[in-house]
């Protein structure tokens, strides 16, 4: 896959852009020297070739710079949450209006056992056991671009139960050992409660064992969601009416396959490829089922199970559960497919700026590095796409948010145009990623 590569004559422009982003996002850092080292580190993430370690960023023969960066990243007690919140608020105002908050898992394989959170564990994304760190990024995603704004680092049991290991890594007293999905759910809840962002549907993959708690957590805060689930997930359906028996329980795959006669065709454009695809969709109303250690609620949460077939497949291959009941299936499907947009931007931009490259051992250092890598990711995409912040030297004002998308290109992305009117009521009706002017989505 191609990566975002800026021409050499844009190096100065990106540095100037970083200066603007420092003034926007790092006001919470109390000292000027901290902001200066943030600037050095960001420029290093964008410019340094190869692995983005502190030593490589500092350069050869610059031991004092390396020591100062080490202090700033691994030991300095600055709070990363205000920086991430400012980044998210800025992107919501200035980049294309996000359609969803997408949770993207990240696995960082390691050789040793000293990096915070590392351990031998089974990783679903790899399909095997690995010695690694497991993290999750929460991305503001549209059909045009996506940006990581929040990160979680999952801590296996020994990292929270062994006092000496916990102290050496500087793990906060409040940190607990949870699953990656539980960590991500809690992070989304914090964002929804205190980040002052317009609430968006949360798109994420959830294991069967985490489904009940994830549904309950989001229902408590009225957070809309689209969960990708395994076809083996038991779901409850029927029994809603006076003369309807039930409820019944069956695997999601079986319920969806029984409704194949009701399938509808969706034609869409794959993210980053510009090529068309055909998917067949159907759906079924289901009820949320409590976990094994939870009692059944008096009124179960009504949900929608969505299933998808590829054009030539005999059996459904993808499944989602959502609490968004007032959207066409095509919109729900294409909202779920924003994970492809995030995967593309992760590979082309976030990895090249070194999101996996932190070699320190502290919890604080990992989160500081992830925060700065997120800002570097934003600077690369904003600079490459010409979305220069207001007040940037030689920049131009971008159109305000809200309203309708511009003309659709042949590759299926909308051109930015001036937008007017107030923002939509929460949760917003998603725009359709990959929209093509040639055909309707559902026929």
């Amino acid at each position: 896959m191609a990566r975002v590569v800026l021409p050499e004559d844009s190096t100065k422009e990106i540095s100037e852009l970083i200066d603007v982003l420092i003034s926007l996002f790092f006001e919470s850092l109390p000292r000027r020297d901290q902001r200066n080292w943030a600037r050095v580190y960001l420029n290093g993430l964008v410019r340094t070739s190869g692995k983005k370690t502190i030593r490589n960023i500092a350069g050869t023969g610059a031991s004092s710079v390396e020591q100062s960066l080490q202090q700033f990243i691994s030991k300095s007690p600055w709070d990363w949450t205000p920086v991430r919140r400012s980044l998210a608020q800025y992107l919501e105002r200035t980049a294309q209006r996000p359609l969803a908050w997408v949770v993207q898992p990240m696995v960082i394989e390691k050789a040793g056992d000293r990096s915070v959170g590392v351990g031998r564990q089974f990783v679903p994304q790899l399909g095997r056991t690995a010695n690694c760190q497991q993290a999750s990024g929460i991305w503001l995603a549209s059909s045009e671009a996506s940006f990581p704004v929040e990160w979680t680092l999952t801590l296996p049991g020994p990292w929270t139960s062994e006092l000496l290991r916990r102290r050496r890594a500087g793990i906060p007293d409040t940190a607990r050992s949870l699953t990656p999905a539980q960590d991500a759910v809690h992070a989304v809840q914090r964002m929804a409660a205190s980040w002052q962002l317009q609430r968006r549907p949360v798109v994420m993959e959830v294991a069967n064992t985490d489904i009940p708690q994830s549904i309950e957590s989001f229902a408590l805060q009225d957070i809309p969601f689209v969960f990708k689930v395994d076809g083996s997930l038991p779901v409850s359906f029927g029994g809603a009416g006076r003369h309807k028996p039930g409820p019944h329980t069956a695997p999601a795959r079986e319920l969806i396959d029984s409704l194949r006669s009701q399938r509808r065709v969706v034609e869409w454009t794959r993210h980053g490829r510009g090529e068309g695809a055909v998917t067949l969709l159907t759906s079924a109303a289901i009820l949320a089922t409590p976990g094994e250690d939870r009692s059944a609620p008096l009124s179960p949460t009504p949900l929608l199970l969505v299933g998808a077939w590829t054009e030539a497949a005999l059996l459904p291959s993808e499944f989602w559960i959502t609490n968004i009941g007032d959207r066409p299936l095509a919109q729900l499907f294409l909202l779920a497919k924003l994970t492809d947009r995030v995967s593309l931007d992760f590979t082309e931009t976030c990895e090249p700026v070194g999101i996996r490259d932190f070699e320190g051992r502290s919890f604080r250092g990992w989160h500081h590095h992830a925060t700065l890598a997120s800002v570097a990711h934003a600077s690369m995409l904003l600079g490459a796409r010409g979305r220069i912040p207001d007040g940037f030297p030689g920049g131009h004002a971008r159109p305000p948010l809200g309203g309708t998308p511009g003309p659709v290109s042949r590759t299926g992305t909308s051109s930015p145009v001036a937008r007017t009117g107030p923002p939509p009521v929460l949760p917003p009706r998603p725009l359709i990623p990959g929209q093509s002017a040639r055909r309707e989505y559902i026929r």
Side-chain angles (χ1 to χ4, degrees):
M1 266 185 196
R3 295 183 172 185
V4 173
V5 178
L6 300 176
E8 292 184 5
D9 58 3
S10 68
T11 301
K12 180 180 179 181
E13 182 176 300
I14 290 296
S15 295
E16 292 174 344
L17 174 56
I18 285 174
D19 288 342
V20 175
L21 299 184
I22 289 289
S23 66
L24 290 172
F25 306 148
F26 290 84
E27 291 181 351
S28 59
L29 271 63
R31 302 200 312 269
R32 180 180 297 178
D33 66 297
Q34 291 177 315
R35 296 189 290 274
N36 287 337
W37 288 119
R39 181 180 293 105
V40 172
Y41 200 80
L42 283 170
N43 277 287
L45 293 176
V46 171
R47 294 180 175 186
T48 303
S49 300
K51 200 167 186 178
K52 309 303 171 70
T53 63
I54 289 178
R55 175 165 296 179
N56 288 343
I57 290 172
T60 57
S63 59
S64 61
V65 173
E66 183 179 347
Q67 291 172 7
S68 296
L69 286 176
Q70 193 73 252
Q71 170 70 27
F72 172 68
I73 295 296
S74 297
K75 298 180 180 180
S76 183
W78 57 274
D79 187 356
W80 56 82
T81 298
V83 179
R84 296 178 183 180
R85 183 172 58 237
S86 296
L87 172 64
Q89 292 172 345
Y90 171 80
L91 291 170
E92 188 172 70
R93 292 194 309 268
T94 58
Q96 182 176 353
R97 181 165 59 107
L99 305 179
W101 297 352
V102 176
V103 177
Q104 167 86 350
M106 180 175 69
V107 178
I108 309 170
E109 295 196 67
K110 294 287 186 177
D113 60 357
R114 299 295 183 90
S115 298
V116 61
V118 74
R120 287 195 61 79
Q121 49 202 315
F122 179 78
V123 182
Q125 291 79 23
L126 301 178
R128 58 179 172 84
T129 298
N131 190 64
C132 64
Q133 296 167 311
Q134 290 196 79
S136 295
I138 302 174
W139 296 58
L140 303 188
S142 71
S143 59
E144 185 179 79
S146 58
F147 303 85
V149 296
E150 176 65 309
W151 292 93
T152 65
L153 178 64
T154 296
L155 299 171
W159 285 95
T160 57
S161 61
E162 297 177 12
L163 185 59
L164 180 59
R165 179 181 284 194
R166 187 170 191 139
R167 285 179 175 173
R168 283 177 176 173
I171 296 173
D173 294 339
T174 55
R176 296 181 294 157
S177 180
L178 302 171
T179 67
Q182 290 169 343
D183 280 329
V185 166
H186 289 172
V188 168
Q189 289 181 297
R190 291 192 297 269
M191 287 176 60
S194 61
W195 280 31
Q196 299 177 326
L197 300 174
Q198 188 165 344
R199 198 164 295 181
R200 311 289 182 182
V202 177
V203 179
M204 63 183 292
E205 185 169 356
V206 183
N208 290 3
T209 53
D210 289 321
I211 284 288
Q213 184 177 347
S214 299
I215 291 175
E216 182 179 325
S217 297
F218 284 172
L220 288 174
Q221 290 182 244
D222 293 323
I223 297 174
F225 61 80
V226 180
F227 290 160
K228 187 172 185 180
V229 299
D230 190 80
S232 65
L233 176 73
V235 295
S236 297
F237 59 97
R242 181 178 178 182
H243 302 291
K244 295 180 180 179
H248 307 286
T249 300
R253 181 181 292 105
E254 290 185 13
L255 176 57
I256 288 297
D257 193 47
S258 70
L259 301 171
R260 61 171 49 241
S261 63
Q262 301 177 24
R263 293 179 299 181
R264 286 171 279 181
V265 175
V266 176
E267 296 178 325
W268 56 292
T269 304
R270 298 183 187 277
H271 290 286
R273 301 184 190 178
E275 63 182 40
V278 176
T279 298
L280 291 81
L281 298 176
T282 192
S283 63
I286 62 172
L287 300 173
T289 55
E292 294 181 358
D293 58 343
R294 297 171 183 268
S295 59
L298 295 177
S299 55
T301 304
L303 301 170
L304 190 68
L305 173 66
V306 179
W309 288 256
T310 57
E311 188 173 13
L314 297 177
L315 296 174
S317 57
E318 292 184 293
F319 309 89
W320 298 270
I321 286 178
T322 179
N323 61 350
I324 305 173
D326 61 346
R327 300 293 188 267
L329 282 184
Q331 288 192 357
L332 292 175
F333 170 73
L334 294 167
L335 194 66
K337 283 299 179 180
L338 284 173
T339 54
D340 294 347
R341 173 77 262 172
V342 171
S343 295
L344 183 70
D345 287 339
F346 180 88
T347 301
E348 294 186 349
T349 307
C350 205
E351 281 199 289
V353 298
I355 186 60
R356 297 182 196 259
D357 291 350
F358 180 65
E359 293 187 340
R361 299 175 180 178
S362 72
F363 183 86
R364 175 185 293 161
W366 190 92
H367 277 282
H368 284 168
H369 172 82
T371 301
L372 288 153
S374 298
V375 177
H377 173 101
S379 71
M380 292 286 283
L381 279 190
L382 294 173
R385 295 170 185 271
R387 294 183 177 273
I388 307 302
D390 297 335
F392 178 73
H396 54 82
R398 276 181 309 281
L401 302 178
T404 57
V408 178
S409 70
R410 290 192 299 174
T411 59
T413 56
S414 299
S415 304
V417 296
R419 304 170 187 264
T420 59
V425 178
L426 299 178
R429 182 178 297 274
L431 301 178
I432 300 178
Q435 186 170 2
S436 168
R438 295 172 298 168
R439 303 183 182 215
E440 296 292 330
Y441 277 95
I442 299 179
R443 66 183 185 193

